[in-house]
């Protein structure tokens, strides 16, 4: 039952390494996974067009010839590019900047435009492009198909999976609420889109005709077996690969994934302005009352970036976005090739 997925993607094993945005992806990790028979991935949502062009070149050089790799982008939500921080948004974080000896932001630079990013990515021509947060524009799907690029779209509900299939993507990723990192809901509010992986997967498999990848709460071969038994054609694993030796996760992040604190994760908007699943840390507790009032993505993400970077540099988990899925305690800090073998 996995043949149609592996044939479409050109991989040996029906295992996709989840892409990590915000600098946690690594070319070495993607190359290792692809070389071992899975699909290595890189999250590029934070990169400007020229860097995306260079990234695809690096991946093409690092991945053994003829093997595929995947680059991920976020589909923008309407109006997000026009958002700007208020004085209150900045003042809320002033104590944290001061604690770390950082300057309080005086200006705001919006992130790269999706249209520019995707044009650069299509021109670079990676074998696979995946999307989260929405249905890619029709012109993107048409151009990807013309260039022979396989497209993957991420759904958190059955309705989103159907919308992605109707939008023309080749594979749908059924991402359950167990998954770490950002939630990709785009048709309904997050509170109405929290379906667990092993409830979501069989419903999506029944609702669409294209291949289905199960994502969220899968970190060992038992999870892989369960996902296939429920109708998935393969799995996408994020947190498990984030814990491996080749990922670009900071040392403090790796330590949290390996520790008892990984047993408790929450959905929080505090690090980016969008709900994401993370290990609870002091910043989440201190700013808990502001969960519903911090600005939306990308404003909060931009304001928090210096704090996250400084925390990681100082090995201080207080300020780091410790993305983790609910299966994080099942992960192991081993080489990625060994981890992939353990899943087969």
């Amino acid at each position: 039952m996995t043949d149609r997925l592996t044939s479409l993607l050109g991989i040996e094993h029906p295992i996709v390494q989840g892409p990590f945005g915000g600098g946690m992806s690594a070319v070495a990790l993607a190359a290792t996974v692809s070389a071992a028979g899975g699909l290595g991935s890189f999250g590029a949502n934070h990169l400007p067009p020229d860097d995306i062009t260079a990234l695809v070149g690096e991946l093409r050089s690092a991945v053994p010839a003829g093997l595929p790799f995947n680059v991920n982008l976020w589909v923008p939500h309407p109006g997000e590019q026009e958002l700007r921080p208020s004085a209150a948004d900045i003042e809320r974080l002033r104590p944290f900047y001061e604690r770390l000896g950082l300057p309080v932001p005086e200006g705001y630079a919006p992130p790269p435009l999706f249209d520019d990013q995707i044009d650069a990515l299509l021109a670079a021509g990676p074998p696979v492009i995946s999307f989260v947060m929405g249905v890619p524009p029709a012109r993107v799907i048409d151009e990807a198909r013309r260039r022979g690029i396989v497209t993957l779209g991420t759904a958190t509900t059955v309705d989103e999976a159907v919308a992605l299939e109707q939008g023309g993507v080749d594979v749908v990723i059924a991402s359950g609420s167990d998954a770490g990192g950002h939630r990709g809901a785009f048709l309904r509010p997050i509170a109405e889109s929290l379906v667990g992986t092993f409830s979501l997967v069989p419903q999506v498999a029944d609702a669409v005709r294209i291949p289905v990848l199960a994502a969220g709460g899968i970190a060992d071969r038992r999870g892989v077996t369960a996902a296939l038994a429920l109708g998935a054609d393969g799995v996408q694993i994020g947190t498990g690969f984030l814990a491996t030796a080749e990922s670009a996760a900071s040392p403090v992040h790796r330590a949290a994934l390996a520790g008892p604190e990984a047993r408790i994760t929450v959905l929080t908007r505090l690090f980016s302005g969008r709900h994401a699943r993370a290990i609870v840390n002091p910043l989440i507790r201190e700013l808990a009352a502001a969960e519903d009032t911090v600005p939306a993505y990308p404003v909060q993400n931009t304001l928090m970036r210096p704090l996250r970077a400084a925390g990681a540099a100082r090995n201080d988990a207080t300020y780091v976005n410790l993305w983790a899925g609910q299966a994080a305690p099942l992960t192991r800090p081993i080489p990625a090739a060994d981890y992939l073998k353990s899943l087969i």
Side-chain angles (χ1 to χ4, degrees):
M1 65 184 294
T2 63
D3 288 351
R4 65 174 182 162
L5 176 77
T6 55
S7 297
L8 177 64
L9 296 176
I11 57 179
E12 182 180 359
H13 308 298
I15 297 170
V16 175
Q17 169 235 319
F20 319 122
M24 293 184 189
S25 287
V27 170
L29 175 58
T32 299
V33 173
S34 289
L39 181 67
S41 304
F42 196 106
N45 68 292
H46 62 298
L47 296 179
D50 288 348
D51 289 358
I52 289 175
T53 302
L55 167 67
V56 175
E58 291 178 41
L59 288 166
R60 191 165 277 124
S61 296
V63 173
L67 294 181
F69 56 87
N70 166 46
V71 178
N72 176 266
L73 287 180
W74 289 13
V75 178
H77 288 185
E80 69 179 33
Q81 195 68 23
E82 288 73 43
L83 297 176
R84 295 294 182 271
S86 69
D89 297 331
I90 296 172
E91 285 303 310
R92 183 185 297 112
L93 297 176
R94 179 182 291 274
F96 298 94
Y97 291 119
E98 292 176 347
R99 285 180 210 170
L100 291 170
L102 299 174
V104 177
E106 295 182 357
Y108 174 76
L113 291 171
F114 171 79
D115 284 345
D116 295 339
Q117 290 178 310
I118 191 60
D119 286 346
L121 188 54
L122 288 168
V128 182
I129 298 175
S130 65
F131 300 92
V132 69
M133 307 295 178
V135 179
R139 66 107 178 165
V140 171
I141 295 297
D142 292 343
E143 182 63 14
R145 187 166 290 120
R146 188 184 73 80
R147 292 175 177 266
I149 299 170
V150 179
T151 55
L152 284 59
T154 306
T156 66
T157 65
V158 173
D159 289 343
E160 290 176 355
V162 171
L164 286 162
E165 181 180 43
Q166 292 174 346
V169 301
D170 298 308
V171 178
V172 64
I173 302 162
S175 178
S177 57
D178 327 39
H182 285 91
R183 302 303 304 143
F186 58 91
L187 287 184
R188 302 184 72 84
I190 291 291
E192 299 176 20
S193 306
L194 296 176
V195 185
T197 302
F198 294 108
S199 295
L200 179 64
V201 168
Q203 295 181 63
V204 170
D206 287 349
V208 301
R209 293 168 293 177
I210 58 177
V212 176
L213 283 165
I218 302 169
D220 61 17
R221 70 180 68 187
R222 293 171 295 182
V224 175
T225 301
L228 298 179
L230 291 171
D233 297 88
V235 299
Q236 176 175 282
I237 296 177
T239 308
F241 282 109
L242 189 64
T244 61
E246 293 86 350
S247 93
S250 64
V252 70
H253 195 162
R254 295 173 187 276
L257 289 172
E261 57 264 47
R263 298 171 188 160
I264 303 174
T265 63
V266 295
L267 287 175
T268 178
R269 295 180 62 247
L270 296 174
F271 289 106
S272 72
R274 278 187 180 159
H275 288 90
R277 185 170 295 283
I279 297 169
V280 178
N281 67 357
L283 184 141
I284 291 176
R285 292 191 174 98
E286 187 170 348
L287 286 178
E291 274 286 353
D292 296 329
T293 57
V294 297
Y297 178 90
V299 171
Q300 180 71 359
N301 188 58
T302 301
L303 295 178
M304 287 294 298
R305 188 178 295 122
L307 299 174
R308 299 193 305 257
R314 300 178 188 207
N315 210 37
D316 186 348
T318 298
Y319 309 95
V320 178
N321 47 320
L322 304 173
W323 300 151
Q326 290 183 319
L330 300 175
T331 65
R332 292 183 291 160
I334 61 177
D338 291 342
Y339 177 58
L340 191 142
K341 289 177 184 177
S342 76
L343 299 170
I344 301 168

